[in-house]
Amino acid sequence: MNEEELVEYFRAQVGKDPDMASAVAAIRTLLEFLKRDKGETILGLRESLTWATACLKGVDSSVAVSSGGELFLRFISLTSLEHQDLSRCKKVMEERGELFLEKISMSRNKVAKLCHTFIKDGAKILTHSYSRVVLRVLEKAAAEKKRFSVYVTESQPDAAGRQMAETLKKLNVPVTVVLDAAVGYVLEKVDLVIVGAEGVVESGGIINKIGTYQMALCSKAHNKPFYVVAESFKFVRLYPLNQQDVPDKFKVRRPFSLFDGFPSPHSDVLTGACFPSQYKADTLKSVKNLSEEHPIIDYTPPSLITLLFTDLGVLTPSAVSDELIKLYL
Amino acid sequence: MADSGVTDGFEKTDGIERAKSEGKELTKEEKQRLRKEKKQQKKNKEKKDDRASQESGREKQGVSSAASAPQPSAQSAAQKAPSAVPAPVPVAASEAPAPAPAPADKPAKSKAELKAERRARQDAERASKHGKKGDPGQPGAAGKPKAPTSELQPVVKRLPEHIQVDNPDVLKKLAKKLERQQTPGQNSAKKIPLRLDYGYKVSLFSHLHQYSRKAPLTQQLSIPSTVIHPAIVRLGLQYSQGIVAGSNARSVALLHAFRQVIRDYTTPPNEELSRDLVNRLKPYISFLNQCRPLSASMGNAIKYIKKEISNIPSQCKEEEAKSKLLHCIEWYIKEKIILAAKAIAESSIEKISDGDVILIYGCSSLVNHILCEAFEKSRKFRVIVVDSRPRLEGREALRRLVQRGISCTYVLISAVSYILPEVSKVFLGAHALLANGYVMSRVGTSQIALVAKAFNVPVLVCCETYKFCERVQTDSFVSNELDDPDDLIVTRNGRTQLENWQQEPSLGLLNLVYDVTPPDFVDLVITELGMIPCTSVPVVLRVKNVDQ
């Protein structure tokens, strides 16, 4: 399976199910790659999987794809591969890959089950941009016959918040779209803030759509709880000290569909084709002065986060490091 | 007064209680019986049936010796024993004497109550013993300051001796321990001397030792030889004079000295190497502790060596065992100190970007190593070295960095808030990392971390995992080190102001060595296992214990 086939399979996966996280699509692609691989040795297999992950990162350089790929690789090789026969080993790895995929497809439901109890009847919730996990949580809360209302930030430059509002209207949840600049204004009315995450870093902080850091700072100032909902495959081995320390490749992303004229899939925090002129295809490769590019994500430090809801349970930010050590070591 | 040879437990109890209550001396026979009774009581506690019957027995005794009730209660009141528990209990009961059992509900009597009664009985016995000897000190209760008075905590925790200097009992115990630690058959001239404190100690820190550098312990050692190996004597002198300073340097020097000790060691006849060598090391460790209190890293190294020695199988030949131990020590130094420093340097270099202004404090071998490595890898940065009196260790760091060609600035700690707006990162070394995430380091570190937090500058602590310790501390008072107060005296323009500080009764000089920094001020800890937040130290300790 060469690079074009890989990328095409990935795009097909994403296009097939717009509700699926891009990391899940990446993992499906890697599993397919593993099945079709004709390598002769385990080491060669591992190397080609690493190469495949790197290709996918070049297509969609989000945090989730890189973390998902690495976790997949670790999960499948975390078993004894002592069999003499390579095909048997491959079979074991494939089975574990399927198991991993199954586990993570259940993760959103697990998170929703944990989080909806924190939404009390009559609550006013503030959220940021478009997040499918938050959507699932709110769906579950609505299904439990809870009455709540939602404020969504518009989340420029791609106005993803509007899409979130549309989806929530279909659930019959009263929703208001507010400007990004009105977060401080609206915070005195809300009871809690729930956001999704693109990546959860080692310190317990999160990487999410630009504007999240501001929202966290304001909610800390207003003493409102700031909750994060994220699946466990988003845990990544980064440790940024401040905004500057986040690697540039995550800050400037392109929704890969625009350039090729595919229908825009929904990634976790970006919708597609609103402003194609701002996001060229290979922004990273072509733009010389990245400081003129506007960053699309920011880093929220753990001191501003109250709790993280993951499929591993409800964690405090300092417990994230513990979980990461268990996952990665 | 004494029962004659009756083996029944209930009768014994009665006889001894009566003896105590009458205030008479305990004869040898009764002491033996008391010991046997205690042992039996321990056994009985595990069997519920026996306990019930004993209770019923004691209840009978309590009622029968009602006449002696006022005397034991007076006696127990005279003793300052933690018998607050049994005291209110008999108040509720009718006229049972203080050591007698609880009120009506016998089966409801908890283990803790029984233990408290036993303790009260022990204290009564000790008090009568002290009365015999004429010892003025309080009974052993003072030696266990953490002995709980609540019923819910039967476990007695002991404080380490080196932070109970103001307690005369503990000092006596220490002196006795030093005497005991020499191998038997040597006369008293060869024992390890006790180092005396020097000068007036500030009252907040009176529980710590304060030694003078002009009176090292080695002066009190007799010549030609004592029970201490000469390599250890030399090491002790180097520690107390400050020739070997710094956490890593001290640990490595200690391990080298132990290597020499092991090379020169021969197993005496009829002894096993694994047990005898550990006993040999004990007086050395007490000696070194008196020269300069052991650091956390040294403590961990000693634990490791002791473990390795005791794991030597008994059928192993001496040469083989010795070479194995030497190999273990070399492995420890190589992996935990040298290779760890390399791994930490690699991780840290990722955090140093071009154009950075890095602030360091004092002289940490690890931080210096990191900066030199980063400079080799052509990172462009400059360094601000912060220094403080009386040690002025920053000058050594400055010398090392400038020699490599790194551009440096030098300030004293009083100017740190002036210089911080220029700084982009702060790198600190650590002496130890405590189990609750606090960082123990040279005094002044927590000040720098605090000011850096106020300026929103990230603070990175670099620490190898062998310096992680299971202690928990939230302030710098409980456990610290007091250096020689004479170091604070300085001569300027021919005048020495504090020369006669000892004559002033209200003047004390305080020369602290360490302080603790809370984890909120530290953004990142870089260890050889990776970059972890400060709160994950117990996770690392847990993983390490699982490995071992």
Side-chain angles (χ1 to χ4, degrees), chain A residues 63 197-201 205-209 238 240 246 250 297-299:
Chain A
V63 180
E198 276 211 38
V200 180
V201 294
I206 58 164
I207 295 185
N208 199 18
K209 182 84 183 293
L238 267 178
V246 179
F250 296 141
I297 49 113
D298 63 17
Y299 164 67

Side-chain angles (χ1 to χ4, degrees), chain B residues 408-429:
Chain B
C408 300
T409 314
Y410 177 85
V411 288
L412 288 179
I413 194 167
S414 27
V416 82
S417 62
Y418 165 77
I419 200 104
L420 253 168
E422 290 179 23
V423 174
S424 62
K425 291 191 177 72
V426 177
F427 271 78
L428 299 171

